[in-house]
Amino acid sequence: MRAEGTFTVKSFVPASVEPPFEVTTAAPAGVATMEKSFEGEIEGRSATLFTASYDQARGIGTYVAMESFEGGVAGREGTFAFAHSATTTGSDASNQFFVIVPGSGTGDLAGITGSGGIAIDEDGTHRIWFEYGFGD
């Protein structure tokens, strides 16, 4: 099955995380928390832990995110977690990864498994989709 929606980032808050020692690279690493709001066949909100190594000036970097979603997918209500990552060179996205965390679903979304993706349109619209099914 496939469900699609759009989302907006309601908040993006840098988080203070102290590594055991500092290593300076050309693309500084950081951590933030995010709140997202979803509309469409995917409706609800998520709490996100976001990590990235990103060079702001050149627009080059990689992120890894873990999201806890609460809401509905194609009319089924519940919660589940998903993870995603991608790399950008400023004009494209590559090495994309997206997975629904097995065993994380609750309510009508218990047993959800699958993958998905995120894309950003030229006008800035953020799109998300899940390719999903339900386990035994």
Side-chain angles (χ1 to χ4, degrees), residues 13-71:
V13 180
S16 178
V17 175
E18 296 294 324
F21 56 90
E22 185 175 332
V23 176
T24 303
T25 69
V31 177
T33 61
M34 299 170 73
E35 177 186 352
K36 293 181 182 176
S37 177
F38 298 83
E39 296 179 347
E41 292 177 299
I42 301 165
E43 187 172 16
R45 64 185 184 161
S46 72
T48 306
L49 297 175
F50 184 85
T51 60
S53 181
Y54 191 73
D55 180 334
Q56 229 27 69
R58 296 184 297 162
I60 298 172
T62 299
Y63 82 88
V64 177
M66 180 64 68
E67 302 205 28
S68 297
F69 174 81
E70 173 181 69

Side-chain angles (χ1 to χ4, degrees), residues 2 58 67 76 82 89 116:
R2 182 179 172 104
R58 296 184 297 162
E67 302 205 28
R76 296 176 77 143
F82 60 96
T89 60

Side-chain angles (χ1 to χ4, degrees), residues 46-112:
S46 72
T48 306
L49 297 175
F50 184 85
T51 60
S53 181
Y54 191 73
D55 180 334
Q56 229 27 69
R58 296 184 297 162
I60 298 172
T62 299
Y63 82 88
V64 177
M66 180 64 68
E67 302 205 28
S68 297
F69 174 81
E70 173 181 69
V73 176
R76 296 176 77 143
E77 298 289 323
T79 66
F80 64 92
F82 60 96
H84 52 98
S85 66
T87 296
T88 183
T89 60
S91 62
D92 66 346
S94 62
N95 301 311
Q96 296 180 49
F97 171 82
F98 194 112
V99 66
I100 295 172
V101 177
S104 66
T106 69
D108 294 338
L109 296 172
I112 191 169

